[in-house]
Amino acid sequence: MAEPLVTFEQDGAIGTITLRRPEKFNALDIPMLRALETALDAAEMAEGVRVVLLRGEGKGFCAGGDVEAWAQMSAADFQVQWVRYGHRVFDRLARLRQPTIAVLSGHALGGGLELAAACDFRVAETQMKLGFPETSIGVVPGWSGTQRAVRRFGAQTVRRMALGGEILLAPEALALGIVDRVVATGNAHEEAKAWAEKIAERGPLATEAAKLMIAVAEGEESAAATEALASGFIALTGDLKAGVDAFKAKQKPAFSRS
């Protein structure tokens, strides 16, 4: 049986999603994107998980999209199967109910940086590099590198990487606000886990609600977040119970605004 390309594991309140294609520096292809989507669903539904870490196996976090996987696609397939599907998976990560931390123990380039940008926080080891090198091979960032990355890191920073071709080391990325913490080589996972444990001590419902409200302010999502917050509030009221009980009994509900 083939080894899984992406795994989800739970350790108490901390969930960990691991990209497992080290021989390709965890470059993403369609099977990996599908496996990542499945792992994100598992993390969302896992009881008791309050923070999710995203890491890569081996020396790299994620080298981005696997060029060999898309180079032979037709224009139509490239647009739909590659770009749009990748967007869907990355949006799934960005909108995960739990706070997320990208563990950058190796380089995050192109789609790898877009993947890290979809997380709430980023812990980087000092030797790792970040950038958007896509234009050097005649393509553009396609998984939110010119959209979400601009919202989160600023347009000028993204220009330097996507247009100017700058590859940044972790300390430079820290100064620009691309990563949140920089640690010595080999310490990213330990640092991220310790940070996650502190986050997990906070009120889980309040933390999830705060994440949703920040997402609305940031333009990450609005309609779904608004409905989720309103529905969560209603679910705690006596009116919902009265309505459901009346529906089951085929009676008219007596609402009390309780």
Side-chain angles (χ1 to χ4, degrees), residues 205-219 221 225-226 229:
L205 292 178
T207 299
E208 290 179 23
K211 176 173 175 171
L212 268 175
M213 290 188 291
I214 293 167
V216 172
E218 192 180 39
E221 55 178 327
T226 299
L229 288 168

Side-chain angles (χ1 to χ4, degrees), residues 57-74:
E57 187 176 87
K59 296 182 178 180
F61 169 70
C62 178
D66 187 341
V67 176
E68 295 179 1
W70 58 259
Q72 303 304 316
M73 286 183 176
S74 68

